Amino acid sequence: MAQKAAKQQASRNTSILKRTHLISLSINALFILLRFVFFRTSCTRKTYVLYGLLSAPALAIEFWFERIGRPVNAPNGELKKAGEDLEAKGLTEYLWDVLYWTWGCLVVVGLFGDMAWVGYLVVPVYSAWLAWTTFGSMKDGMMGMAGGGGTAGTASGSTSNRQKKMENRSGQKMQYR
C-alpha cells in the first residue's frame, strides 16, 4: 500500500478539522444564543465589539489550520498532499492552546457576562512568560559557550566521585590540559 503514512495523516487531519469546526460552531452558537437571546438585557455595544475582537484570533487560527492541514486530492482521486501534522509540537501546539482558551472564554462570557473577558488576558501573559523563559535559557546557554559559566566548576579543581576513586586506586593524580 503506497503512501500509507500520508494517507493516515490525511485521515487524521480530516477528522481533527471536522471536530474542530463542529466544536467551534457549537460554542459560538451557544454564545450567541446565551448573550443575544437569553441575556439580551445585559447585551451592549461593548458585547458585540469584544465578541468580534476577541473571537478573531480563534477564527484566524481555525482558518490557518484549515489551510495547512486539509489534505489535497488530485483530480483522479489520489492523495496529492496530506497536509501538515496538526498534532505537532511547538507553534502548532501553542495555537491549539489559544484556540481552546478562546473557546473556554466564550463559554464563561456567555454564562457570566462581559467582565469574564478579562480571563482572556492569560494568553498574552502566558506568551510573555514563554518568551522570557525561552530567552533566559538561551541567554544562559550562550553564556556557557562564551566561557562565562556552566563548566567553571570542573576547571577549578573539583573532581567527580569517579575521578576520586580512580586516583585512590592508582595512587596518581589525573592531569588535565
Side-chain angles (χ1 to χ4, degrees):
M1 190 161 151
Q3 299 180 346
K4 182 178 180 183
K7 289 177 183 177
Q8 287 177 344
Q9 178 71 39
S11 172
R12 204 170 34 243
N13 281 356
T14 302
S15 66
I16 289 172
L17 287 171
K18 182 180 177 183
R19 184 180 65 230
T20 301
H21 293 324
L22 286 174
I23 291 171
S24 180
L25 178 69
S26 62
I27 287 176
N28 281 293
L30 177 69
F31 177 83
I32 290 170
L33 183 71
L34 288 173
R35 295 301 297 161
F36 302 139
V37 176
F38 292 128
F39 301 127
R40 186 171 186 158
T41 57
S42 65
C43 191
T44 63
R45 181 183 194 104
K46 184 174 94 171
T47 304
Y48 296 114
V49 171
L50 286 173
Y51 173 68
L53 185 68
L54 297 175
S55 292
L59 295 174
I61 290 170
E62 264 191 82
F63 176 73
W64 179 252
F65 284 158
E66 179 69 33
R67 187 156 181 214
I68 67 167
R70 181 67 65 185
V72 178
N73 292 323
N76 62 358
E78 287 186 26
L79 184 64
K80 189 175 182 182
K81 181 180 140 192
E84 298 292 325
D85 185 13
L86 293 178
E87 296 173 344
K89 301 288 181 196
L91 180 63
T92 306
E93 187 177 34
Y94 173 73
L95 291 176
W96 280 112
D97 292 343
V98 172
L99 191 67
Y100 295 147
W101 191 255
T102 304
W103 289 345
C105 284
L106 276 173
V107 170
V108 172
V109 169
L111 293 172
F112 300 112
D114 288 339
M115 288 305 295
W117 281 118
V118 175
Y120 202 74
L121 289 175
V122 170
V123 173
V125 169
Y126 175 69
S127 299
W129 176 79
L130 202 59
W132 180 262
T133 56
T134 301
F135 176 71
S137 63
M138 185 173 65
K139 185 175 73 169
D140 291 343
M142 293 295 184
M143 293 285 285
M145 289 173 54
T151 60
T154 58
S156 67
S158 64
T159 57
S160 68
N161 289 336
R162 182 172 183 241
Q163 289 173 342
K164 288 177 186 176
K165 287 179 184 178
M166 294 296 286
E167 290 171 3
N168 288 339
R169 282 187 200 155
S170 65
Q172 58 183 342
K173 188 169 179 158
M174 301 291 288
Q175 293 182 353
Y176 298 100
R177 295 182 186 180

PDB file of all heavy atoms in Angstrom, residues 3-14 17 63-86:
ATOM      1  N   GLN A   3       2.162   5.035   0.175  1.00  0.00           N
ATOM      2  CA  GLN A   3       1.895   6.237   0.963  1.00  0.00           C
ATOM      3  C   GLN A   3       0.967   5.985   2.144  1.00  0.00           C
ATOM      4  O   GLN A   3       0.057   6.762   2.417  1.00  0.00           O
ATOM      5  CB  GLN A   3       1.306   7.337   0.093  1.00  0.00           C
ATOM      6  CG  GLN A   3       2.164   7.805  -1.028  1.00  0.00           C
ATOM      7  CD  GLN A   3       1.488   8.901  -1.817  1.00  0.00           C
ATOM      8  OE1 GLN A   3       0.298   9.140  -1.697  1.00  0.00           O
ATOM      9  NE2 GLN A   3       2.265   9.582  -2.637  1.00  0.00           N
ATOM     10  N   LYS A   4       1.211   4.905   2.856  1.00  0.00           N
ATOM     11  CA  LYS A   4       0.341   4.571   3.980  1.00  0.00           C
ATOM     12  C   LYS A   4       0.382   5.649   5.057  1.00  0.00           C
ATOM     13  O   LYS A   4      -0.658   6.051   5.583  1.00  0.00           O
ATOM     14  CB  LYS A   4       0.753   3.218   4.572  1.00  0.00           C
ATOM     15  CG  LYS A   4      -0.133   2.778   5.706  1.00  0.00           C
ATOM     16  CD  LYS A   4       0.251   1.426   6.237  1.00  0.00           C
ATOM     17  CE  LYS A   4      -0.677   1.044   7.374  1.00  0.00           C
ATOM     18  NZ  LYS A   4      -0.311  -0.226   7.967  1.00  0.00           N
ATOM     19  N   ALA A   5       1.572   6.142   5.380  1.00  0.00           N
ATOM     20  CA  ALA A   5       1.701   7.182   6.407  1.00  0.00           C
ATOM     21  C   ALA A   5       1.008   8.473   5.972  1.00  0.00           C
ATOM     22  O   ALA A   5       0.355   9.140   6.771  1.00  0.00           O
ATOM     23  CB  ALA A   5       3.173   7.450   6.710  1.00  0.00           C
ATOM     24  N   ALA A   6       1.130   8.824   4.708  1.00  0.00           N
ATOM     25  CA  ALA A   6       0.491  10.040   4.199  1.00  0.00           C
ATOM     26  C   ALA A   6      -1.036   9.913   4.242  1.00  0.00           C
ATOM     27  O   ALA A   6      -1.739  10.875   4.591  1.00  0.00           O
ATOM     28  CB  ALA A   6       0.959  10.331   2.780  1.00  0.00           C
ATOM     29  N   LYS A   7      -1.529   8.730   3.922  1.00  0.00           N
ATOM     30  CA  LYS A   7      -2.979   8.518   3.970  1.00  0.00           C
ATOM     31  C   LYS A   7      -3.501   8.567   5.403  1.00  0.00           C
ATOM     32  O   LYS A   7      -4.578   9.104   5.659  1.00  0.00           O
ATOM     33  CB  LYS A   7      -3.338   7.189   3.304  1.00  0.00           C
ATOM     34  CG  LYS A   7      -3.165   7.215   1.805  1.00  0.00           C
ATOM     35  CD  LYS A   7      -3.464   5.877   1.177  1.00  0.00           C
ATOM     36  CE  LYS A   7      -3.213   5.915  -0.318  1.00  0.00           C
ATOM     37  NZ  LYS A   7      -3.428   4.622  -0.948  1.00  0.00           N
ATOM     38  N   GLN A   8      -2.733   8.003   6.331  1.00  0.00           N
ATOM     39  CA  GLN A   8      -3.131   8.076   7.736  1.00  0.00           C
ATOM     40  C   GLN A   8      -3.112   9.518   8.233  1.00  0.00           C
ATOM     41  O   GLN A   8      -4.012   9.937   8.960  1.00  0.00           O
ATOM     42  CB  GLN A   8      -2.203   7.220   8.598  1.00  0.00           C
ATOM     43  CG  GLN A   8      -2.414   5.746   8.435  1.00  0.00           C
ATOM     44  CD  GLN A   8      -1.422   4.930   9.240  1.00  0.00           C
ATOM     45  OE1 GLN A   8      -0.392   5.429   9.689  1.00  0.00           O
ATOM     46  NE2 GLN A   8      -1.740   3.650   9.416  1.00  0.00           N
ATOM     47  N   GLN A   9      -2.092  10.270   7.829  1.00  0.00           N
ATOM     48  CA  GLN A   9      -2.006  11.689   8.205  1.00  0.00           C
ATOM     49  C   GLN A   9      -3.191  12.457   7.639  1.00  0.00           C
ATOM     50  O   GLN A   9      -3.798  13.282   8.324  1.00  0.00           O
ATOM     51  CB  GLN A   9      -0.692  12.286   7.688  1.00  0.00           C
ATOM     52  CG  GLN A   9      -0.505  13.752   7.977  1.00  0.00           C
ATOM     53  CD  GLN A   9      -0.261  14.007   9.443  1.00  0.00           C
ATOM     54  OE1 GLN A   9       0.429  13.243  10.089  1.00  0.00           O
ATOM     55  NE2 GLN A   9      -0.825  15.056   9.960  1.00  0.00           N
ATOM     56  N   ALA A  10      -3.542  12.193   6.394  1.00  0.00           N
ATOM     57  CA  ALA A  10      -4.666  12.872   5.766  1.00  0.00           C
ATOM     58  C   ALA A  10      -5.973  12.536   6.479  1.00  0.00           C
ATOM     59  O   ALA A  10      -6.806  13.418   6.735  1.00  0.00           O
ATOM     60  CB  ALA A  10      -4.756  12.487   4.290  1.00  0.00           C
ATOM     61  N   SER A  11      -6.147  11.280   6.831  1.00  0.00           N
ATOM     62  CA  SER A  11      -7.353  10.860   7.544  1.00  0.00           C
ATOM     63  C   SER A  11      -7.434  11.512   8.922  1.00  0.00           C
ATOM     64  O   SER A  11      -8.491  11.999   9.343  1.00  0.00           O
ATOM     65  CB  SER A  11      -7.352   9.336   7.666  1.00  0.00           C
ATOM     66  OG  SER A  11      -8.388   8.914   8.495  1.00  0.00           O
ATOM     67  N   ARG A  12      -6.299  11.531   9.624  1.00  0.00           N
ATOM     68  CA  ARG A  12      -6.249  12.137  10.957  1.00  0.00           C
ATOM     69  C   ARG A  12      -6.539  13.641  10.878  1.00  0.00           C
ATOM     70  O   ARG A  12      -7.314  14.176  11.662  1.00  0.00           O
ATOM     71  CB  ARG A  12      -4.873  11.867  11.565  1.00  0.00           C
ATOM     72  CG  ARG A  12      -4.827  11.905  13.038  1.00  0.00           C
ATOM     73  CD  ARG A  12      -3.528  11.406  13.656  1.00  0.00           C
ATOM     74  NE  ARG A  12      -2.330  11.682  12.891  1.00  0.00           N
ATOM     75  CZ  ARG A  12      -1.534  10.736  12.370  1.00  0.00           C
ATOM     76  NH1 ARG A  12      -1.816   9.467  12.536  1.00  0.00           N
ATOM     77  NH2 ARG A  12      -0.460  11.069  11.696  1.00  0.00           N
ATOM     78  N   ASN A  13      -5.924  14.317   9.912  1.00  0.00           N
ATOM     79  CA  ASN A  13      -6.153  15.759   9.757  1.00  0.00           C
ATOM     80  C   ASN A  13      -7.611  16.064   9.415  1.00  0.00           C
ATOM     81  O   ASN A  13      -8.184  17.018   9.929  1.00  0.00           O
ATOM     82  CB  ASN A  13      -5.245  16.337   8.681  1.00  0.00           C
ATOM     83  CG  ASN A  13      -3.842  16.573   9.171  1.00  0.00           C
ATOM     84  OD1 ASN A  13      -3.530  16.382  10.338  1.00  0.00           O
ATOM     85  ND2 ASN A  13      -2.968  16.983   8.267  1.00  0.00           N
ATOM     86  N   THR A  14      -8.198  15.262   8.560  1.00  0.00           N
ATOM     87  CA  THR A  14      -9.596  15.488   8.187  1.00  0.00           C
ATOM     88  C   THR A  14     -10.510  15.353   9.401  1.00  0.00           C
ATOM     89  O   THR A  14     -11.391  16.190   9.615  1.00  0.00           O
ATOM     90  CB  THR A  14     -10.025  14.485   7.093  1.00  0.00           C
ATOM     91  OG1 THR A  14      -9.159  14.643   5.966  1.00  0.00           O
ATOM     92  CG2 THR A  14     -11.455  14.723   6.659  1.00  0.00           C
ATOM     93  N   LEU A  17      -9.914  18.384  11.802  1.00  0.00           N
ATOM     94  CA  LEU A  17     -10.520  19.622  11.287  1.00  0.00           C
ATOM     95  C   LEU A  17     -12.044  19.584  11.395  1.00  0.00           C
ATOM     96  O   LEU A  17     -12.669  20.592  11.756  1.00  0.00           O
ATOM     97  CB  LEU A  17     -10.091  19.855   9.836  1.00  0.00           C
ATOM     98  CG  LEU A  17      -8.641  20.293   9.651  1.00  0.00           C
ATOM     99  CD1 LEU A  17      -8.274  20.277   8.177  1.00  0.00           C
ATOM    100  CD2 LEU A  17      -8.412  21.658  10.254  1.00  0.00           C
ATOM    101  N   PHE A  63      -8.815  29.079  10.494  1.00  0.00           N
ATOM    102  CA  PHE A  63      -8.571  29.251   9.067  1.00  0.00           C
ATOM    103  C   PHE A  63      -7.171  28.761   8.710  1.00  0.00           C
ATOM    104  O   PHE A  63      -6.971  28.087   7.700  1.00  0.00           O
ATOM    105  CB  PHE A  63      -8.744  30.721   8.676  1.00  0.00           C
ATOM    106  CG  PHE A  63      -8.420  30.999   7.245  1.00  0.00           C
ATOM    107  CD1 PHE A  63      -9.268  30.599   6.231  1.00  0.00           C
ATOM    108  CD2 PHE A  63      -7.243  31.655   6.902  1.00  0.00           C
ATOM    109  CE1 PHE A  63      -8.967  30.839   4.904  1.00  0.00           C
ATOM    110  CE2 PHE A  63      -6.924  31.902   5.584  1.00  0.00           C
ATOM    111  CZ  PHE A  63      -7.783  31.494   4.583  1.00  0.00           C
ATOM    112  N   TRP A  64      -6.197  29.082   9.560  1.00  0.00           N
ATOM    113  CA  TRP A  64      -4.820  28.647   9.316  1.00  0.00           C
ATOM    114  C   TRP A  64      -4.706  27.126   9.359  1.00  0.00           C
ATOM    115  O   TRP A  64      -4.062  26.517   8.506  1.00  0.00           O
ATOM    116  CB  TRP A  64      -3.894  29.296  10.339  1.00  0.00           C
ATOM    117  CG  TRP A  64      -2.471  28.887  10.174  1.00  0.00           C
ATOM    118  CD1 TRP A  64      -1.767  28.064  10.995  1.00  0.00           C
ATOM    119  CD2 TRP A  64      -1.577  29.234   9.118  1.00  0.00           C
ATOM    120  NE1 TRP A  64      -0.490  27.894  10.527  1.00  0.00           N
ATOM    121  CE2 TRP A  64      -0.346  28.597   9.362  1.00  0.00           C
ATOM    122  CE3 TRP A  64      -1.706  30.010   7.973  1.00  0.00           C
ATOM    123  CZ2 TRP A  64       0.738  28.732   8.519  1.00  0.00           C
ATOM    124  CZ3 TRP A  64      -0.617  30.137   7.139  1.00  0.00           C
ATOM    125  CH2 TRP A  64       0.585  29.510   7.413  1.00  0.00           C
ATOM    126  N   PHE A  65      -5.333  26.507  10.358  1.00  0.00           N
ATOM    127  CA  PHE A  65      -5.315  25.048  10.440  1.00  0.00           C
ATOM    128  C   PHE A  65      -5.975  24.427   9.215  1.00  0.00           C
ATOM    129  O   PHE A  65      -5.513  23.410   8.702  1.00  0.00           O
ATOM    130  CB  PHE A  65      -6.000  24.557  11.711  1.00  0.00           C
ATOM    131  CG  PHE A  65      -5.177  24.711  12.958  1.00  0.00           C
ATOM    132  CD1 PHE A  65      -5.788  24.743  14.193  1.00  0.00           C
ATOM    133  CD2 PHE A  65      -3.803  24.802  12.910  1.00  0.00           C
ATOM    134  CE1 PHE A  65      -5.045  24.869  15.351  1.00  0.00           C
ATOM    135  CE2 PHE A  65      -3.045  24.936  14.055  1.00  0.00           C
ATOM    136  CZ  PHE A  65      -3.673  24.972  15.278  1.00  0.00           C
ATOM    137  N   GLU A  66      -7.058  25.021   8.776  1.00  0.00           N
ATOM    138  CA  GLU A  66      -7.750  24.526   7.577  1.00  0.00           C
ATOM    139  C   GLU A  66      -6.825  24.607   6.364  1.00  0.00           C
ATOM    140  O   GLU A  66      -6.777  23.696   5.538  1.00  0.00           O
ATOM    141  CB  GLU A  66      -9.021  25.333   7.340  1.00  0.00           C
ATOM    142  CG  GLU A  66      -9.815  24.945   6.128  1.00  0.00           C
ATOM    143  CD  GLU A  66     -10.477  23.592   6.253  1.00  0.00           C
ATOM    144  OE1 GLU A  66     -10.862  23.200   7.355  1.00  0.00           O
ATOM    145  OE2 GLU A  66     -10.616  22.920   5.204  1.00  0.00           O
ATOM    146  N   ARG A  67      -6.112  25.684   6.281  1.00  0.00           N
ATOM    147  CA  ARG A  67      -5.259  25.905   5.116  1.00  0.00           C
ATOM    148  C   ARG A  67      -4.052  24.964   5.092  1.00  0.00           C
ATOM    149  O   ARG A  67      -3.696  24.445   4.036  1.00  0.00           O
ATOM    150  CB  ARG A  67      -4.790  27.351   5.114  1.00  0.00           C
ATOM    151  CG  ARG A  67      -4.052  27.728   3.894  1.00  0.00           C
ATOM    152  CD  ARG A  67      -4.098  29.195   3.649  1.00  0.00           C
ATOM    153  NE  ARG A  67      -3.382  29.454   2.429  1.00  0.00           N
ATOM    154  CZ  ARG A  67      -2.683  30.522   2.200  1.00  0.00           C
ATOM    155  NH1 ARG A  67      -2.625  31.450   3.105  1.00  0.00           N
ATOM    156  NH2 ARG A  67      -2.058  30.692   1.062  1.00  0.00           N
ATOM    157  N   ILE A  68      -3.392  24.770   6.246  1.00  0.00           N
ATOM    158  CA  ILE A  68      -2.184  23.938   6.245  1.00  0.00           C
ATOM    159  C   ILE A  68      -2.472  22.461   6.468  1.00  0.00           C
ATOM    160  O   ILE A  68      -1.665  21.618   6.103  1.00  0.00           O
ATOM    161  CB  ILE A  68      -1.157  24.411   7.301  1.00  0.00           C
ATOM    162  CG1 ILE A  68      -1.683  24.200   8.721  1.00  0.00           C
ATOM    163  CG2 ILE A  68      -0.739  25.832   7.056  1.00  0.00           C
ATOM    164  CD1 ILE A  68      -0.628  24.341   9.787  1.00  0.00           C
ATOM    165  N   GLY A  69      -3.627  22.140   7.058  1.00  0.00           N
ATOM    166  CA  GLY A  69      -3.874  20.756   7.433  1.00  0.00           C
ATOM    167  C   GLY A  69      -4.800  19.979   6.526  1.00  0.00           C
ATOM    168  O   GLY A  69      -4.822  18.752   6.566  1.00  0.00           O
ATOM    169  N   ARG A  70      -5.588  20.653   5.707  1.00  0.00           N
ATOM    170  CA  ARG A  70      -6.562  19.959   4.853  1.00  0.00           C
ATOM    171  C   ARG A  70      -5.847  19.192   3.755  1.00  0.00           C
ATOM    172  O   ARG A  70      -5.052  19.752   3.013  1.00  0.00           O
ATOM    173  CB  ARG A  70      -7.524  20.980   4.246  1.00  0.00           C
ATOM    174  CG  ARG A  70      -8.593  20.403   3.365  1.00  0.00           C
ATOM    175  CD  ARG A  70      -9.607  19.554   4.061  1.00  0.00           C
ATOM    176  NE  ARG A  70     -10.416  20.291   5.015  1.00  0.00           N
ATOM    177  CZ  ARG A  70     -11.309  19.710   5.802  1.00  0.00           C
ATOM    178  NH1 ARG A  70     -11.488  18.410   5.741  1.00  0.00           N
ATOM    179  NH2 ARG A  70     -11.994  20.406   6.664  1.00  0.00           N
ATOM    180  N   PRO A  71      -6.104  17.892   3.629  1.00  0.00           N
ATOM    181  CA  PRO A  71      -5.496  17.098   2.553  1.00  0.00           C
ATOM    182  C   PRO A  71      -5.999  17.550   1.181  1.00  0.00           C
ATOM    183  O   PRO A  71      -7.139  17.989   1.034  1.00  0.00           O
ATOM    184  CB  PRO A  71      -5.960  15.674   2.841  1.00  0.00           C
ATOM    185  CG  PRO A  71      -6.493  15.687   4.214  1.00  0.00           C
ATOM    186  CD  PRO A  71      -6.907  17.072   4.524  1.00  0.00           C
ATOM    187  N   VAL A  72      -5.110  17.433   0.190  1.00  0.00           N
ATOM    188  CA  VAL A  72      -5.449  17.812  -1.182  1.00  0.00           C
ATOM    189  C   VAL A  72      -5.390  16.553  -2.040  1.00  0.00           C
ATOM    190  O   VAL A  72      -4.390  15.823  -2.026  1.00  0.00           O
ATOM    191  CB  VAL A  72      -4.462  18.871  -1.724  1.00  0.00           C
ATOM    192  CG1 VAL A  72      -4.782  19.220  -3.166  1.00  0.00           C
ATOM    193  CG2 VAL A  72      -4.486  20.111  -0.850  1.00  0.00           C
ATOM    194  N   ASN A  73      -6.458  16.322  -2.775  1.00  0.00           N
ATOM    195  CA  ASN A  73      -6.516  15.173  -3.675  1.00  0.00           C
ATOM    196  C   ASN A  73      -6.389  15.631  -5.115  1.00  0.00           C
ATOM    197  O   ASN A  73      -6.865  16.706  -5.490  1.00  0.00           O
ATOM    198  CB  ASN A  73      -7.829  14.411  -3.503  1.00  0.00           C
ATOM    199  CG  ASN A  73      -7.916  13.737  -2.152  1.00  0.00           C
ATOM    200  OD1 ASN A  73      -6.931  13.244  -1.624  1.00  0.00           O
ATOM    201  ND2 ASN A  73      -9.103  13.736  -1.582  1.00  0.00           N
ATOM    202  N   ALA A  74      -5.758  14.801  -5.919  1.00  0.00           N
ATOM    203  CA  ALA A  74      -5.641  15.066  -7.351  1.00  0.00           C
ATOM    204  C   ALA A  74      -6.998  14.817  -8.008  1.00  0.00           C
ATOM    205  O   ALA A  74      -7.883  14.168  -7.422  1.00  0.00           O
ATOM    206  CB  ALA A  74      -4.569  14.164  -7.955  1.00  0.00           C
ATOM    207  N   PRO A  75      -7.197  15.292  -9.225  1.00  0.00           N
ATOM    208  CA  PRO A  75      -8.482  15.070  -9.915  1.00  0.00           C
ATOM    209  C   PRO A  75      -8.855  13.596 -10.080  1.00  0.00           C
ATOM    210  O   PRO A  75     -10.027  13.247 -10.119  1.00  0.00           O
ATOM    211  CB  PRO A  75      -8.280  15.732 -11.279  1.00  0.00           C
ATOM    212  CG  PRO A  75      -7.206  16.735 -11.069  1.00  0.00           C
ATOM    213  CD  PRO A  75      -6.324  16.185  -9.993  1.00  0.00           C
ATOM    214  N   ASN A  76      -7.851  12.728 -10.141  1.00  0.00           N
ATOM    215  CA  ASN A  76      -8.149  11.305 -10.292  1.00  0.00           C
ATOM    216  C   ASN A  76      -8.438  10.619  -8.960  1.00  0.00           C
ATOM    217  O   ASN A  76      -8.685   9.423  -8.929  1.00  0.00           O
ATOM    218  CB  ASN A  76      -7.011  10.593 -11.035  1.00  0.00           C
ATOM    219  CG  ASN A  76      -5.696  10.662 -10.283  1.00  0.00           C
ATOM    220  OD1 ASN A  76      -5.606  11.267  -9.212  1.00  0.00           O
ATOM    221  ND2 ASN A  76      -4.681  10.048 -10.858  1.00  0.00           N
ATOM    222  N   GLY A  77      -8.374  11.354  -7.852  1.00  0.00           N
ATOM    223  CA  GLY A  77      -8.706  10.803  -6.543  1.00  0.00           C
ATOM    224  C   GLY A  77      -7.516  10.411  -5.692  1.00  0.00           C
ATOM    225  O   GLY A  77      -7.673  10.059  -4.529  1.00  0.00           O
ATOM    226  N   GLU A  78      -6.315  10.443  -6.264  1.00  0.00           N
ATOM    227  CA  GLU A  78      -5.128  10.106  -5.488  1.00  0.00           C
ATOM    228  C   GLU A  78      -4.772  11.246  -4.551  1.00  0.00           C
ATOM    229  O   GLU A  78      -5.061  12.406  -4.813  1.00  0.00           O
ATOM    230  CB  GLU A  78      -3.944   9.833  -6.426  1.00  0.00           C
ATOM    231  CG  GLU A  78      -4.036   8.525  -7.158  1.00  0.00           C
ATOM    232  CD  GLU A  78      -2.762   8.254  -7.953  1.00  0.00           C
ATOM    233  OE1 GLU A  78      -1.705   8.774  -7.575  1.00  0.00           O
ATOM    234  OE2 GLU A  78      -2.863   7.532  -8.946  1.00  0.00           O
ATOM    235  N   LEU A  79      -4.117  10.876  -3.466  1.00  0.00           N
ATOM    236  CA  LEU A  79      -3.698  11.870  -2.484  1.00  0.00           C
ATOM    237  C   LEU A  79      -2.515  12.654  -3.034  1.00  0.00           C
ATOM    238  O   LEU A  79      -1.473  12.102  -3.332  1.00  0.00           O
ATOM    239  CB  LEU A  79      -3.318  11.184  -1.169  1.00  0.00           C
ATOM    240  CG  LEU A  79      -2.956  12.088  -0.011  1.00  0.00           C
ATOM    241  CD1 LEU A  79      -4.160  12.925   0.403  1.00  0.00           C
ATOM    242  CD2 LEU A  79      -2.461  11.271   1.154  1.00  0.00           C
ATOM    243  N   LYS A  80      -2.717  13.953  -3.169  1.00  0.00           N
ATOM    244  CA  LYS A  80      -1.660  14.813  -3.684  1.00  0.00           C
ATOM    245  C   LYS A  80      -0.802  15.358  -2.534  1.00  0.00           C
ATOM    246  O   LYS A  80       0.412  15.381  -2.617  1.00  0.00           O
ATOM    247  CB  LYS A  80      -2.288  15.966  -4.468  1.00  0.00           C
ATOM    248  CG  LYS A  80      -1.339  16.821  -5.238  1.00  0.00           C
ATOM    249  CD  LYS A  80      -2.120  17.831  -6.054  1.00  0.00           C
ATOM    250  CE  LYS A  80      -1.216  18.691  -6.892  1.00  0.00           C
ATOM    251  NZ  LYS A  80      -1.988  19.684  -7.639  1.00  0.00           N
ATOM    252  N   LYS A  81      -1.461  15.798  -1.468  1.00  0.00           N
ATOM    253  CA  LYS A  81      -0.764  16.348  -0.305  1.00  0.00           C
ATOM    254  C   LYS A  81      -1.567  15.994   0.940  1.00  0.00           C
ATOM    255  O   LYS A  81      -2.767  16.231   1.000  1.00  0.00           O
ATOM    256  CB  LYS A  81      -0.643  17.859  -0.461  1.00  0.00           C
ATOM    257  CG  LYS A  81       0.079  18.552   0.649  1.00  0.00           C
ATOM    258  CD  LYS A  81       0.141  20.055   0.384  1.00  0.00           C
ATOM    259  CE  LYS A  81      -0.081  20.768   1.686  1.00  0.00           C
ATOM    260  NZ  LYS A  81      -0.323  22.163   1.561  1.00  0.00           N
ATOM    261  N   ALA A  82      -0.894  15.441   1.950  1.00  0.00           N
ATOM    262  CA  ALA A  82      -1.581  15.009   3.169  1.00  0.00           C
ATOM    263  C   ALA A  82      -1.853  16.158   4.124  1.00  0.00           C
ATOM    264  O   ALA A  82      -2.699  16.062   4.999  1.00  0.00           O
ATOM    265  CB  ALA A  82      -0.762  13.939   3.883  1.00  0.00           C
ATOM    266  N   GLY A  83      -1.150  17.261   3.979  1.00  0.00           N
ATOM    267  CA  GLY A  83      -1.304  18.377   4.897  1.00  0.00           C
ATOM    268  C   GLY A  83      -0.300  18.271   6.038  1.00  0.00           C
ATOM    269  O   GLY A  83       0.254  17.213   6.308  1.00  0.00           O
ATOM    270  N   GLU A  84      -0.075  19.382   6.703  1.00  0.00           N
ATOM    271  CA  GLU A  84       0.854  19.412   7.827  1.00  0.00           C
ATOM    272  C   GLU A  84       0.252  18.669   9.013  1.00  0.00           C
ATOM    273  O   GLU A  84      -0.958  18.541   9.140  1.00  0.00           O
ATOM    274  CB  GLU A  84       1.145  20.858   8.228  1.00  0.00           C
ATOM    275  CG  GLU A  84       1.811  21.675   7.155  1.00  0.00           C
ATOM    276  CD  GLU A  84       3.223  21.225   6.857  1.00  0.00           C
ATOM    277  OE1 GLU A  84       3.922  20.802   7.789  1.00  0.00           O
ATOM    278  OE2 GLU A  84       3.603  21.290   5.682  1.00  0.00           O
ATOM    279  N   ASP A  85       1.123  18.209   9.900  1.00  0.00           N
ATOM    280  CA  ASP A  85       0.690  17.497  11.091  1.00  0.00           C
ATOM    281  C   ASP A  85       0.069  18.487  12.071  1.00  0.00           C
ATOM    282  O   ASP A  85       0.737  19.388  12.574  1.00  0.00           O
ATOM    283  CB  ASP A  85       1.875  16.790  11.733  1.00  0.00           C
ATOM    284  CG  ASP A  85       1.476  15.930  12.913  1.00  0.00           C
ATOM    285  OD1 ASP A  85       0.267  15.674  13.093  1.00  0.00           O
ATOM    286  OD2 ASP A  85       2.383  15.499  13.655  1.00  0.00           O
ATOM    287  N   LEU A  86      -1.211  18.334  12.355  1.00  0.00           N
ATOM    288  CA  LEU A  86      -1.912  19.235  13.265  1.00  0.00           C
ATOM    289  C   LEU A  86      -1.694  18.876  14.728  1.00  0.00           C
ATOM    290  O   LEU A  86      -2.192  19.566  15.615  1.00  0.00           O
ATOM    291  CB  LEU A  86      -3.412  19.248  12.950  1.00  0.00           C
ATOM    292  CG  LEU A  86      -3.775  19.857  11.601  1.00  0.00           C
ATOM    293  CD1 LEU A  86      -5.273  19.768  11.375  1.00  0.00           C
ATOM    294  CD2 LEU A  86      -3.298  21.278  11.495  1.00  0.00           C
TER     295      LEU A  86
END
